[in-house]
């Protein structure tokens, strides 16, 4: 076997050293495109996943979100929960929120919306809400009778034409809000927020105290407590610590939420991703096989000669396995250079999605390793199969090229 | 050394079968230089390919040093081709991407010799055919005669029991043909190499000990040209 490997590698080495360099470059170029095909789209989809999960962290859920136990509408004594949470090591900030359903009316136009009551100064460390005000200002700690309206329902942002909107609501406009309990309030629009995300731009924000008043809540009730952590990736541990600190409500990390909410939204994307990978793999396998098979056919006479002079079929098959592994390795290397060039380009110039969302492709080392292993496995199979089939033919037929 | 009994080779079956060899029998002694002659289509190349284990006989017996080789499994035939038999093709059959030395020493490597040892063997073989100084040239950089001498060096490097040559001078001019035949003669006379050569050129018989003539798949004459014992 060692002799077979030595002879196989000598044949492969000579073939590369003195073979046609233009053909080699063409094969490597095609293989690099096959590799790109395997990794590029999943990287873009990965970028979308990161964008969406980032938005979930930046707006509704933070890094960790605490919600009421199953049958309860509210977390009772949210201040006590906040106190426990803030005492946990690794927690950067936490705040409470009150969500309510309502309809908003402006000049006889009515839209349904979710209104979040929040503590404006605490949100500076928790969410991006204070930083996405496209017109007007964010709420202040003492803001009352004021509202922040999402751009889509205000009728000013991208997507307004898709959804019902209030028609050109501006800062200073007055809107009537009817809450789910029938209480009606008139608010002055303080600002328009534009987060390029439906969960944000179809919502409205008021001061926490407004919701408390409207629903007559006492004892610091909350529909959620949103937590941010110091270090990304520690959410799981901190979730456990919060539990250990005596918080008995439901605790979710953003990843838990992704599994339920985002995962549903991304399922169709995931299906496209899987199909794309599968098709890329089939196309890649076929192309690698075709390239190596043509290569083997062109060398059929050589294989016959080698057999005729006493070189074992195993050495010949191994030489093609080495050769195709070399081609594919160069293809992967070129593909990686091409891939990283494109990644850096698209990270500097993100793809604009929905006119406002910027998607930067994600470099996923696991995906790269998977693709490299897949390509190398394919190369071995693609090298072995045609060479094995030709090496089994009669010597004379191989020499005659039949 | 070689005993061939009633060797037959048919292509196809039934009435359309082509009978390339119709039952050929002969013996070749160790150290003989034998020419197989005959007109085109007489079966001489078919016979040589069977003797060199590149093709199978339809019927008959074929032994080398008492071993029935025609019925050997492919793996053993491959080993036999590597270690016992040298074959020189009409069109040189060199690997274009290998230098003269690589074309030769690949077989020594296959036999398990080290790279250094294989290279020394290759240089020794190339020296025998007068091409030691061109060991680094690839086939495209060599003349027809030189290519054929490299092919001979490849065939003799492993010191085979028998060297088969299929019209080795067919693509060469007279000068190059003489060079090749001189190499064969020297191998035969100096090293006692058994050589079986297919040719259709009458003047080539001046170099050989014996001429076997085939006609239409039958052996029609077996003539001693030179008795080595004399």
């Amino acid at each position: 076997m060692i002799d077979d490997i030595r002879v196989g590698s000598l044949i492969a080495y000579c073939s590369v050293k003195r073979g046609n360099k233009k053909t080699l470059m063409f094969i490597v170029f095609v293989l690099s495109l096959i590799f790109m095909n395997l990794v590029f789209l999943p990287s873009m989809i990965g970028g979308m996943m990161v964008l969406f999960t980032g938005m979930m962290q930046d707006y509704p859920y933070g890094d960790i979100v605490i919600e009421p136990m199953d049958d309860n509408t509210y977390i009772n004594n949210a201040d006590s929960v906040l106190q426990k949470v803030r005492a946990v090591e690794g927690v950067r900030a936490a705040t409470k929120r009150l969500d309510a359903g309502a309809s908003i009316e402006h000049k006889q136009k009515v839209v349904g919306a979710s209104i979040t009551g929040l503590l404006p100064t605490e949100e500076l460390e928790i969410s991006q809400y204070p930083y996405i005000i496209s017109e007007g200002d964010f709420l202040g700690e003492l803001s009352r009778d004021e509202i922040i309206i999402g751009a889509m329902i205000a009728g000013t942002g991208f997507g307004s034409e898709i959804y019902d909107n209030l028609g050109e609501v501006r800062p200073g406009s007055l809107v009537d809000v009817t809450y789910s309990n029938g209480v009606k309030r008139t608010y002055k629009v303080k600002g328009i927020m534009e987060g390029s995300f439906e969960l944000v731009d179809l919502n409205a924000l008021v001061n926490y105290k407004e919701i408390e008043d409207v629903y007559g809540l006492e004892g610091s009730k909350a529909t959620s407590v949103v937590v941010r952590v110091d270090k990304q990736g520690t959410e799981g541990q901190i979730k456990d610590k919060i539990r250990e600190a005596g918080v008995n409500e439901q605790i979710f990390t953003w990843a838990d939420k992704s599994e339920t909410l985002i995962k549903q939204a991304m399922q169709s994307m995931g299906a496209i991703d899987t199909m794309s990978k599968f098709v890329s793999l089939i196309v890649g396998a076929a192309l690698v096989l075709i390239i190596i098979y043509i290569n083997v056919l062109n060398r059929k006479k050589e294989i016959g000669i080698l057999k005729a002079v006493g070189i074992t079929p195993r050495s010949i098959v191994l030489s093609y396995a080495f050769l195709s592994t070399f081609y594919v390795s160069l293809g992967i290397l070129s593909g990686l250079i091409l891939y990283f060039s494109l990644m850096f380009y698209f990270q500097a110039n993100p793809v604009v999605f929905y006119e406002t969302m910027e998607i930067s492709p994600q470099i996923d080392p696991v995906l790269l390793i998977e693709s490299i292993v897949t390509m190398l496995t394919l190369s071995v199979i693609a090298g072995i199969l045609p060479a094995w089939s030709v090496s089994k033919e009669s010597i004379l037929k191989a020499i005659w090229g039949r | 050394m070689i005993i061939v009994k009633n060797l037959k080779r048919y292509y196809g079956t039934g009435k359309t079968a082509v009978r390339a060899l119709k039952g050929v029998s002969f013996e070749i002694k160790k150290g003989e230089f034998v020419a197989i002659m005959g007109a085109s289509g007489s079966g001489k190349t078919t016979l040589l390919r069977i003797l060199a284990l590149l093709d199978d006989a339809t019927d008959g017996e074929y032994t080398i040093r008492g071993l029935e080789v025609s019925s050997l499994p492919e793996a053993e035939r491959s080993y036999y081709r590597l270690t016992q038999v040298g074959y020189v093709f009409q069109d040189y059959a060199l690997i274009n991407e290998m230098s003269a030395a690589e074309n030769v020493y690949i077989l020594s490597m296959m036999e398990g010799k080290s790279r250094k040892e294989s290279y020394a063997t290759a240089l020794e073989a190339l020296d025998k055919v007068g091409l030691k100084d061109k060991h680094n040239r690839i086939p495209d950089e060599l003349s027809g005669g030189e290519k054929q001498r490299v092919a001979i060096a490849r065939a003799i490097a492993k010191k085979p029991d028998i060297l088969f040559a299929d019209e080795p001078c067919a693509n060469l001019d007279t000068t190059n043909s003489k060079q090749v035949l001189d190499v064969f003669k020297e191998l035969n006379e100096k090293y006692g190499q058994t050589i079986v050569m297919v040719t259709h050129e009458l003047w080539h018989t001046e170099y050989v000990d014996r001429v076997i003539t085939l006609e239409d798949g039958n052996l029609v004459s077996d003539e001693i040209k030179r008795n080595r014992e004399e």
Side-chain angles (χ1 to χ4, degrees):
Chain A
M1 185 65 183
I2 291 170
D3 295 331
D4 291 323
I5 293 171
R6 289 166 68 222
V7 170
S9 49
L10 175 68
I11 298 168
Y13 167 75
C14 291
S15 179
V16 170
K17 189 181 168 190
R18 300 203 184 87
N20 189 319
K21 298 292 181 289
K22 281 182 187 167
T23 308
L24 173 70
M25 281 169 67
F26 176 72
I27 290 172
V28 169
F29 175 67
V30 172
L31 289 170
S32 69
L33 294 184
I34 294 170
F35 181 74
M36 272 288 294
N37 193 36
L38 274 178
V39 293
F40 187 69
L41 186 59
S43 295
M44 292 304 287
I45 291 174
M48 288 176 84
M49 297 278 242
V50 167
L51 178 78
F52 288 137
T53 51
M55 283 178 164
M56 298 298 271
Q57 282 174 280
D58 286 341
Y59 299 105
Y61 299 119
D63 299 321
I64 293 168
V65 64
I66 301 167
E67 292 178 351
M69 291 302 286
D70 290 341
D71 297 335
N72 299 336
T73 311
Y74 301 107
I75 298 168
N76 293 313
N77 200 353
D79 286 343
S80 161
V81 171
L82 277 171
Q83 200 179 3
K84 289 173 186 168
V85 168
R86 283 172 182 148
V88 170
E89 195 185 339
V91 169
R92 193 183 75 212
T95 190
K96 59 185 177 185
R97 287 178 187 164
L98 273 169
D99 290 327
S103 62
I104 306 173
E105 187 179 348
H106 176 70
K107 293 182 181 172
Q108 280 137 16
K109 286 191 173 178
V110 182
V111 295
S114 172
I115 297 184
T116 301
L118 41 75
L119 296 165
T121 48
E122 289 187 2
E123 288 293 335
L124 292 170
E125 281 193 82
I126 295 287
S127 69
Q128 290 296 311
Y129 286 127
Y131 309 105
I132 55 163
I133 303 301
S134 58
E135 290 177 59
D137 296 304
F138 191 58
L139 299 169
E141 200 55 35
L142 301 173
S143 289
R144 300 301 296 267
D145 303 324
E146 288 178 326
I147 190 167
I148 301 289
I149 302 267
M152 284 183 191
I153 51 175
T156 57
F158 173 75
S160 306
E161 65 281 5
I162 304 169
Y163 300 99
D164 291 338
N165 65 73
L166 298 173
E168 295 293 313
V169 166
R170 297 282 176 200
S173 303
L174 293 177
V175 292
D176 295 322
V177 175
T178 307
Y179 286 95
S180 58
N181 61 355
V183 173
K184 194 172 178 180
R185 292 282 170 92
T186 299
Y187 294 129
K188 189 167 94 178
V189 175
K190 190 167 186 197
I192 306 292
M193 61 179 175
E194 192 161 4
S196 309
F197 185 39
E198 289 175 14
L199 273 176
V200 174
D201 294 351
L202 285 172
N203 283 0
L205 307 175
V206 294
N207 195 300
Y208 173 85
K209 299 253 181 245
E210 282 292 336
I211 308 282
E212 249 189 348
D213 282 354
V214 166
Y215 286 88
L217 302 172
E218 287 175 353
S220 76
K221 298 261 190 312
T223 49
S224 64
V225 167
V226 179
V227 183
R228 297 308 294 250
V229 297
D230 281 329
K231 201 174 166 189
Q232 291 292 311
T234 59
E235 297 87 349
Q237 298 160 20
I238 291 173
K239 175 183 160 182
D240 294 339
K241 285 183 186 172
I242 292 171
R243 175 78 63 216
E244 284 165 16
V247 174
N248 297 318
E249 310 296 332
Q250 295 188 87
I251 308 172
F252 303 98
T253 65
W254 67 268
D256 297 334
K257 280 291 177 185
S258 296
E259 276 180 15
T260 51
L261 287 173
I262 298 208
K263 219 169 189 176
Q264 284 169 10
M266 296 303 282
Q267 257 176 358
S268 53
M269 205 68 83
I272 293 169
D273 186 29
T274 308
M275 279 191 288
S276 143
K277 276 183 191 166
F278 183 71
V279 171
S280 299
L281 214 59
I282 298 291
V283 171
L287 278 171
V288 172
L289 267 169
I290 288 166
I291 288 170
I292 304 295
Y293 192 63
I294 290 171
N295 201 277
V296 169
L297 283 185
N298 284 336
R299 293 161 185 269
K300 208 170 175 181
K301 185 180 177 182
E302 190 177 287
I303 291 174
I305 293 167
L306 288 168
K307 273 186 75 180
V309 297
I311 303 297
T312 60
R314 192 155 53 182
S315 301
I316 296 166
V317 170
L318 276 174
S319 76
Y320 282 93
F322 293 147
L323 203 57
S324 61
T325 305
F326 176 75
Y327 288 154
V328 171
S329 300
L330 276 189
I332 289 170
L333 197 66
S334 314
L336 280 173
I337 293 168
L338 201 59
Y339 172 74
F340 281 114
S341 307
L342 280 176
M343 287 299 105
F344 291 134
Y345 174 80
F346 281 116
Q347 280 176 350
N349 307 281
V351 177
V352 178
F353 183 67
Y354 256 123
E355 285 192 17
T356 47
M357 289 188 211
E358 291 187 338
I359 297 168
S360 299
Q362 290 301 300
I363 297 170
D364 179 358
V366 176
L367 170 73
L368 287 179
I369 291 167
E370 272 176 9
S371 304
I372 289 170
V373 171
T374 306
M375 286 279 286
L376 286 175
T377 311
L378 272 180
S379 74
V380 173
I381 295 167
I384 285 175
L385 276 184
W388 179 79
S389 116
V390 173
S391 75
K392 288 287 166 199
E393 284 181 13
S394 99
I395 293 172
L396 295 176
K397 277 186 180 173
I399 290 176
W400 293 332
R402 287 181 191 167
Chain B
M1 180 173 217
I2 294 176
I3 300 172
V4 172
K5 281 184 189 167
N6 200 24
L7 206 64
K8 293 174 185 170
R9 179 65 166 112
Y10 301 159
Y11 295 103
T13 51
K15 287 181 182 174
T16 56
V18 177
R19 297 176 173 199
L21 289 177
K22 293 173 180 169
V24 176
S25 302
F26 59 85
E27 288 185 21
I28 294 173
K29 289 178 193 151
K30 184 173 168 52
E32 270 191 310
F33 187 176
V34 179
I36 299 174
M37 296 196 71
S40 187
S42 60
K44 54 188 189 299
T45 296
T46 303
L47 173 62
L48 196 78
R49 284 173 183 158
I50 293 169
L51 295 180
L53 302 176
L54 301 180
D55 198 8
D56 298 314
T58 309
D59 198 10
E61 286 177 27
Y62 167 36
T63 59
I64 300 177
R65 288 203 293 192
L67 177 69
E68 172 64 52
V69 288
S70 50
S71 57
L72 288 176
E74 180 50 34
E76 285 180 44
R77 287 162 73 92
S78 177
Y79 182 73
Y80 220 83
R81 281 195 296 269
L82 176 68
T83 57
Q84 311 289 318
V85 171
Y87 195 91
V88 178
F89 292 85
Q90 185 177 325
D91 61 351
Y92 331 125
L94 297 173
I95 306 300
N96 287 325
E97 287 145 356
M98 290 180 168
S99 68
E102 285 161 347
N103 263 290
V104 179
Y105 83 62
I106 187 173
L107 299 183
S108 302
M109 282 181 74
M110 191 77 255
E111 285 181 289
K113 289 182 185 169
S114 70
R115 198 182 174 93
K116 200 176 169 185
E117 207 180 345
S118 301
Y119 207 83
T121 308
L123 288 184
E124 188 190 330
L126 286 167
D127 193 30
K128 278 184 187 169
V129 298
L131 284 175
K132 191 179 177 184
D133 56 332
K134 293 187 177 176
H135 69 278
N136 267 335
R137 303 266 182 95
I138 57 168
D140 283 348
E141 296 166 348
L142 298 170
S143 70
E146 287 171 334
K147 284 181 198 172
Q148 196 58 290
R149 279 148 64 194
V150 173
I152 294 167
R154 178 177 64 187
I156 61 168
K158 56 196 177 187
K159 299 185 173 62
D161 282 350
I162 313 139
L163 179 64
F164 295 104
D166 181 13
E167 302 204 39
C169 305
N171 295 327
L172 305 178
D173 59 21
T174 310
T175 312
N176 278 309
S177 295
K178 278 182 178 167
Q179 279 179 4
V180 167
L181 292 168
D182 284 341
V183 169
F184 282 148
K185 197 175 177 183
E186 191 186 346
L187 287 169
N188 177 248
E189 289 180 351
K190 201 169 167 184
Y191 303 102
Q193 177 72 60
T194 309
I195 301 174
V196 181
M197 175 178 73
V198 163
T199 182
H200 61 268
E201 294 282 354
L202 208 56
W203 66 272
H204 291 178
T205 59
E206 291 167 19
Y207 289 81
V208 304
D209 304 328
R210 183 177 158 199
V211 178
I212 292 172
T213 308
L214 297 182
E215 193 179 296
D216 199 20
N218 293 304
L219 195 155
V220 292
S221 81
D222 189 346
E223 184 188 355
I224 305 290
K225 299 282 289 184
R226 185 168 50 133
N227 196 332
R228 300 292 292 273
E229 288 167 7
E230 283 171 3

